[in-house]
Amino acid sequence: IESNLEECARLERIIDSLLFLARAENPQLQIERSPVDVAEELACVSEFFEAPAQEAGSGLLLECTGPVTAPLNRALFQRAVGNLVANALAHTPAGGTITLRVRADGNQVAVEVADTGSGIPADEIPHLCERFYRADRSRTPASGGVGLGLAIVKSIAELHQGGIDIRSEVG
């Protein structure tokens, strides 16, 4: 019964993710936004992932040089950054580091999640935000998700009139 409950919870998360992506494609979708201190929200996400990072043997650093305010949907922003940190944790070996940064340039705000993981081959990068795409084919849905995390991040960024830029080097 416990195994069935775990599987049901996993399926519920997949369905929730697919429904979110379907709703995000609606051009009439408007999200409520309010001024949010991005550095403060990154600190909250960092605090949430502190224990899993320690368990994985990875360091989690936050680099923010003061308050940066942007009009965001707080819950969606936390979900996007959380997906990026969870992804970085999954691909960063023990002893590695994950860094969260924010910088403002005029009306533009950039949030960066960087890690010292193994890297992604250049030919994989254009596909990373596609639904169900996983660069690491050795990971199964049971061991590492179904390939929706970065598609969700991209959708959330676009709902905020932003985008996603992925850069990586193997090694």
Side-chain angles (χ1 to χ4, degrees):
I1 291 174
E2 185 177 330
S3 176
N4 284 340
L5 287 173
E6 288 175 10
E7 185 62 17
C8 286
R10 188 181 77 77
L11 290 171
E12 181 181 20
R13 287 190 301 275
I14 292 170
I15 291 167
D16 178 56
S17 295
L18 288 170
L19 287 172
F20 172 81
L21 288 169
R23 281 189 225 110
E25 290 178 345
N26 180 351
Q28 279 80 34
L29 180 66
Q30 298 292 318
I31 58 172
E32 289 188 34
R33 294 193 259 175
S34 59
V36 171
D37 183 339
V38 178
E40 188 176 298
E41 292 304 314
L42 290 180
C44 290
V45 172
S46 178
E47 185 178 317
F48 180 82
F49 282 96
E50 189 174 317
Q54 285 179 351
E55 286 178 25
S58 298
L60 191 56
L61 302 175
L62 179 61
E63 294 180 0
C64 299
T65 57
V68 175
T69 303
L72 301 171
N73 179 293
R74 177 176 277 125
L76 292 178
F77 178 75
Q78 287 179 346
R79 183 173 187 176
V81 175
N83 281 2
L84 292 172
V85 173
N87 198 50
L89 273 172
H91 297 284
T92 300
T97 304
I98 298 157
T99 306
L100 284 75
R101 293 184 187 96
V102 62
R103 61 187 153 74
D105 184 18
N107 289 337
Q108 303 252 334
V109 174
V111 173
E112 179 180 320
V113 177
D115 65 63
T116 57
S118 56
I120 304 162
D123 62 329
E124 302 273 352
I125 291 174
H127 305 288
L128 291 177
C129 292
E130 295 173 7
R131 294 176 192 182
F132 304 110
Y133 186 84
R134 292 184 309 205
D136 183 355
R137 297 199 183 27
S138 67
R139 295 176 77 199
T140 65
S143 69
V146 294
L148 293 173
L150 292 177
I152 289 171
V153 171
K154 180 181 177 189
S155 292
I156 291 171
E158 290 173 349
L159 286 171
H160 286 88
Q161 283 75 51
I164 183 170
D165 180 30
I166 300 171
R167 290 180 233 150
S168 184
E169 296 176 18
V170 175

